[in-house]
Amino acid sequence: MSGRLTTHVLDLSRGIPATGLTLQLWKLTDGISKLLCEEVTNNDGRLNAPLLEGREMEAGCYELLFMVGDYYRRADAKASADTQREMSFFLEQIPIRFHIESSMQHYHVPLLVAPGGYSTYRGS
């Protein structure tokens, strides 16, 4: 069984999955960054397919770049229209660099985000 790389984004400020959040996956090799893919989270805050799996899953250093500023701008526009209240946010992009040691393991890199902070961990 081969490994895979997945992610999941939860909007802690609203207590819901972060739908429509754009993210990029980069591979970092010898100081050079290569964009592997750009995806958008679905209604469950997940992607419709793993970021990497099978032969694409290689050991090495990677970066997930989450475009949370765009996500919160859209959420702010909707909230302002609904409640006349503006949401304040601080973070524009969140880079998470991590290492894949074995192509046979499942690496799940979730993001728990709010307008002013975030958390992540290696999930299963």
Side-chain angles (χ1 to χ4, degrees), residues 2-105:
S2 65
R4 64 188 187 279
L5 172 64
T6 58
T7 190
H8 184 201
V9 185
L10 296 173
D11 180 344
L12 296 178
S13 66
R14 297 190 297 157
I16 59 173
T19 301
L21 190 144
T22 301
L23 60 95
Q24 297 175 340
L25 176 64
W26 295 79
K27 183 160 188 183
L28 311 172
T29 307
D30 298 327
I32 298 172
S33 300
K34 178 183 177 188
L35 179 63
L36 298 180
C37 63
E38 181 173 292
E39 303 289 341
V40 178
T41 57
N42 61 23
N43 288 340
D44 195 31
R46 299 176 187 274
L47 302 178
N48 294 328
L51 288 157
L52 297 174
E53 67 179 334
R55 292 184 181 174
E56 298 174 321
M57 189 75 178
E58 297 177 355
C61 187
Y62 293 85
E63 180 178 281
L64 274 170
L65 184 61
F66 296 89
M67 312 305 179
V68 296
D70 292 341
Y71 170 78
Y72 278 114
R73 270 188 286 280
R74 283 194 308 276
D76 184 40
K78 185 175 186 308
S80 294
D82 292 345
T83 65
Q84 304 299 319
R85 181 183 127 243
E86 289 188 25
M87 182 184 294
S88 173
F89 67 94
F90 173 66
L91 299 166
E92 189 63 41
Q93 297 178 340
I94 299 173
I96 298 174
R97 286 191 180 179
F98 56 95
H99 187 78
I100 290 179
E101 191 169 306
S102 169
S103 62
M104 302 304 287
Q105 293 184 12

